[in-house]
């Protein structure tokens, strides 16, 4: 890519691209790299770079992120609009012929069709590819001649692990003595049992699942938003508004809340007093390789207050956690709690069963039949 003059990289991380992203994060000072709030934002950022420099930027994403990117790809960069040359580097989860989590299968099967609908030619890569230099150069040449996007679609195993390099750590993280799973364990320990728990994408969902297993508790009170990253708080809002007498706990992540942060304003404006929004902030996209988010650069507590949450708390130490959770749960108003944690998950995290329709049925039954406050 750099041999072909690509020097600007923007996107949202994906686990299939994590070795590529590791190289981006520690090599070559002449590279500009921005980790974006969402994939649509990355397309727009790259477009601005092209307008100002005439150069070709690269936008990376998981194929699920195509959902966020489709609007600017059709309405901004498309040949029929401004014709912006872009390289899309896409991790292909749920590729036909592979076994993957349910949330990836439908998008995986349709990824080539979506790219075709966008008139974006795709070159597919995998771990066996011998002539990647040639394929990349060809794709870039075709993109420059047509002044539109091309996709480099990467199956699992496309990128080898970089040798003898360590991911740059986030030094602030070291000062937080809580893990995300310990925070989840402490939250579950203080719930009465009738709260609905709506849980974000990635390790958080697996950890809450594991913690319920450890406690031999039912999973029926949990809705795991396994796929639609960034949308968990609106799912929680929908439930809180429909069942005003039920306590609704939203367990969010920093990458997730930042992805669609405008939704905090919607929550603040509606301000249901039965919604408690917790952000487990580790400053990184832990579930896909630990790439930085803006989580430690912003003041979430103040953002929540300014968005209309009535109470906003922050917890940075294990010793303060129990009291912070208690204050949150006792609150009779729309409330927010940011919990700072270090990154990392245990090796043997269980995966929730793949039968999502059964889990949905059990959750709906719980909402229908369990007592309200
Ligand atoms: C639209 C979209 N883009 C990217 C992803 C890939 N992805 C899954 S989990 C995750 C990281 C989530 O980060 P955060 O919310 O901070 O939680 P953490 O993993 O740190 O616990 C990403 C980027 C996705 N599932 N959906």
């Amino acid at each position: 890519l750099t041999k072909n003059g690509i020097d600007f990289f923007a996107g949202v991380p994906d686990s299939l691209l994590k070795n590529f992203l590791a190289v981006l994060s520690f090599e070559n000072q002449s590279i500009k790299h921005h980790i974006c709030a969402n994939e649509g934002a990355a397309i727009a950022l790259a477009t601005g770079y092209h307008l100002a420099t005439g150069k070709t930027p690269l936008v990376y994403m998981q194929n699920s992120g195509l959902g966020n990117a489709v609007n600017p790809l059709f309405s901004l960069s498309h040949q029929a609009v401004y014709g912006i040359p872009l390289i899309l580097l896409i991790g292909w989860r749920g590729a036909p012929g592979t076994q993957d989590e349910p949330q990836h299968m439908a998008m995986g099967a349709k990824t080539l069709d979506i790219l075709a609908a966008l008139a974006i030619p795709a070159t597919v890569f995998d771990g066996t590819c011998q002539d990647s230099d040639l394929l990349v150069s060809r794709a870039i040449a075709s993109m420059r001649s047509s002044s539109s996007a091309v996709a480099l679609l990467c199956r699992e195993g496309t990128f080898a692990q970089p040798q003898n390099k360590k991911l740059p750590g986030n030094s602030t993280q070291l000062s937080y003595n809580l893990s995300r799973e310990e925070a989840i364990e402490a939250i579950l320990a203080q719930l009465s049992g009738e709260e609905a728990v709506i849980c974000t994408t990635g390790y958080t969902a697996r950890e809450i699942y594991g913690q319920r297993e450890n406690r031999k508790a039912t999973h029926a009170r949990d809705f795991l938003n396994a796929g639609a990253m960034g949308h968990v708080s609106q799912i929680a809002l929908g439930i809180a508004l429909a069942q005003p007498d039920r306590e609704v706990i939203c367990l969010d992540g920093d990458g997730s809340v930042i992805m669609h942060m405008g939704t905090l304003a919607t929550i603040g404006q509606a301000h249901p007093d039965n919604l408690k929004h917790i952000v487990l902030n580790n400053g990184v996209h832990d579930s896909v390789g630990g790439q930085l988010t803006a989580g430690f650069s912003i003041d979430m507590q103040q953002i929540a207050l300014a968005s209309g949450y009535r109470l906003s708390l922050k917890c940075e130490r294990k010793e303060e956690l129990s009291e912070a959770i208690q204050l949150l749960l006792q609150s009779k108003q729309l409330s927010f709690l940011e919990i700072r944690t270090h990154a990392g998950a245990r090796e043997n995290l269980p995966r929730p069963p793949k039968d999502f329709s059964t889990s949905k049925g059990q959750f709906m039954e719980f909402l229908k039949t369990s007592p309200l406050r």
Side-chain angles (χ1 to χ4, degrees), residues 226-262:
M229 180 176 163
H231 292 298
V232 67
S233 67
Q234 296 301 285
I235 302 171
L237 176 63
I239 296 169
L241 292 173
Q243 293 205 338
D245 292 325
R246 170 160 334 267
E247 286 294 300
V248 179
I249 312 294
C250 174
L251 277 188
D252 214 338
D254 48 306
S256 162
V257 77
I258 290 168
M259 182 165 269
H260 296 298
M261 202 164 231

Side-chain angles (χ1 to χ4, degrees), residues 13 39 62 64 68 180 229 253-256 282 284 286-288:
E39 294 81 354
Q62 182 178 97
S64 59
N68 282 328
R180 184 186 44 234
M229 180 176 163
D254 48 306
S256 162
N282 53 18
V284 289
D286 198 22
S287 308
V288 291

Side-chain angles (χ1 to χ4, degrees), residues 29-60:
Q29 295 304 309
S30 60
I31 282 177
K32 292 167 256 320
H33 177 210
H34 297 275
I35 301 177
C36 294
N38 64 60
E39 294 81 354
I43 300 286
L45 174 65
T47 297
Y49 184 75
H50 170 75
L51 293 176
T53 61
K55 294 185 185 176
T56 303
L58 179 144
V59 176
Y60 60 83

Side-chain angles (χ1 to χ4, degrees), residues 29-224:
Q29 295 304 309
S30 60
I31 282 177
K32 292 167 256 320
H33 177 210
H34 297 275
I35 301 177
C36 294
N38 64 60
E39 294 81 354
I43 300 286
L45 174 65
T47 297
Y49 184 75
H50 170 75
L51 293 176
T53 61
K55 294 185 185 176
T56 303
L58 179 144
V59 176
Y60 60 83
M61 66 183 78
Q62 182 178 97
N63 55 338
S64 59
L66 265 177
N68 282 328
V70 155
N71 168 246
L73 285 173
F74 264 126
S75 308
L76 173 67
S77 61
H78 198 277
Q79 257 171 326
V81 193
Y82 286 111
I84 307 291
L86 294 171
I87 302 167
L88 306 182
L89 184 80
I90 303 175
W92 195 0
R93 297 294 302 262
T98 60
Q99 296 280 330
D100 210 329
E101 303 294 315
Q103 67 272 21
H104 293 298
M105 297 316 288
M107 181 51 113
K110 290 293 174 195
T111 296
L112 281 172
D113 293 347
I114 293 172
L115 291 170
L118 284 158
I120 297 178
T123 308
V124 177
F125 292 85
D126 62 22
T128 65
C129 183
Q130 297 295 326
D131 43 7
S132 51
D133 267 24
L134 184 67
L135 292 174
V136 169
S137 304
R138 260 194 214 148
I140 292 176
S142 108
M143 171 208 55
R144 287 193 173 132
S145 67
S146 64
S147 198
S148 64
V150 289
L152 312 178
L153 200 50
C154 304
R155 286 174 168 268
E156 188 164 13
T158 296
F159 297 102
Q161 213 174 341
Q163 299 294 305
N164 307 324
K165 299 267 190 178
K166 255 186 94 209
L167 263 183
N170 186 337
S171 55
T172 324
Q173 265 193 351
L174 302 174
S175 58
Y176 300 120
N177 63 356
L178 257 172
S179 72
R180 184 186 44 234
E181 190 169 14
E182 286 168 335
I184 291 171
E185 189 179 12
I187 294 163
L188 293 186
Q190 292 199 41
L191 296 183
S192 75
E194 301 312 332
E195 302 89 345
V197 181
I198 322 303
C199 182
T200 188
T201 315
Y203 286 147
T204 305
R206 290 173 63 186
E207 286 170 349
I208 192 169
Y209 181 83
Q211 285 296 325
R212 293 286 199 203
E213 289 279 288
N214 287 355
R215 304 169 76 83
K216 302 204 173 8
T218 171
H219 299 283
R221 295 168 284 195
D222 306 331
F223 183 82
L224 308 183

